[in-house]
Amino acid sequence: MAGHIRSSAEMVAGARARIEEVETKDAIAMVGRDDVLIVDIRDVRERQRSGFIPGSFHAPRGMIEFWVDPKSPYFKEEFSGDKKYVFHCASGWRSALTVATLQDMGFEAAHLKEGFSTWEEQGGPVERIPPADS
């Protein structure tokens, strides 16, 4: 039998204790700024269902470490600039773990504390993907 398995809640709490968290109202003020890249790590189906932050860059959670690493064959130029990177998911859990991992890699980033879940109700702009014609 394995020893104590650290819970996901413990992992998220540990990550949040050591990373920069951005409040929704502050992130809303960052939309459209050239020196900020908001990175959406949600699944494509979440973006289709709930919409997304205008100008955000979609980077699926499973590829983040590879897309950020300039030595990786999967590196994306979006991560080479001198910008403030703010990652988000739906509720702030996946993005907290992501940013903690990126911090371990030496990549500076922050995350949207509450995630996308309260974005629209706090006045954040949302773009929606039009439904496909049937």
Side-chain angles (χ1 to χ4, degrees), residues 2 7 10 22-23 32-33 41 45 48 64-65 75 95 99 122 131:
S7 73
E10 289 172 313
V22 176
E23 297 290 340
R33 284 181 33 189
I41 64 167
R45 291 169 296 234
Q48 291 168 342
I64 293 293
E65 294 85 354
F75 175 69
S95 59
V99 170
Q122 291 192 43

Side-chain angles (χ1 to χ4, degrees), residues 6-75:
R6 196 166 171 208
S7 73
S8 57
E10 289 172 313
M11 296 287 294
V12 169
R16 285 186 155 165
R18 65 185 182 96
I19 64 172
E20 179 186 352
E21 297 192 298
V22 176
E23 297 290 340
T24 302
K25 64 179 174 47
D26 297 324
I28 290 170
M30 294 177 187
V31 172
R33 284 181 33 189
D34 291 338
D35 62 336
V36 175
L37 182 62
I38 297 175
V39 182
D40 186 344
I41 64 167
R42 296 175 302 151
D43 181 88
V44 67
R45 291 169 296 234
E46 291 174 278
R47 287 171 54 89
Q48 291 168 342
R49 184 174 53 247
S50 306
F52 55 93
I53 298 169
S56 63
F57 178 69
H58 184 231
R61 171 64 193 103
M63 292 300 293
I64 293 293
E65 294 85 354
F66 305 101
W67 285 17
V68 165
D69 177 5
K71 295 178 183 168
S72 164
Y74 302 104
F75 175 69

Side-chain angles (χ1 to χ4, degrees), residues 44-125:
V44 67
R45 291 169 296 234
E46 291 174 278
R47 287 171 54 89
Q48 291 168 342
R49 184 174 53 247
S50 306
F52 55 93
I53 298 169
S56 63
F57 178 69
H58 184 231
R61 171 64 193 103
M63 292 300 293
I64 293 293
E65 294 85 354
F66 305 101
W67 285 17
V68 165
D69 177 5
K71 295 178 183 168
S72 164
Y74 302 104
F75 175 69
K76 297 286 184 192
E77 283 297 321
E78 285 81 0
F79 296 109
S80 65
D82 185 23
K83 296 181 182 238
K84 178 174 188 75
Y85 294 92
V86 180
F87 287 75
H88 84 85
C89 60
S91 60
W93 301 354
R94 289 173 286 177
S95 59
L97 295 174
T98 298
V99 170
T101 299
L102 294 177
Q103 185 175 285
D104 291 345
M105 292 175 68
F107 186 86
E108 288 187 42
H111 92 116
L112 183 58
K113 184 177 181 179
E114 295 178 335
F116 194 72
S117 62
T118 66
W119 180 263
E120 195 166 15
E121 71 188 42
Q122 291 192 43

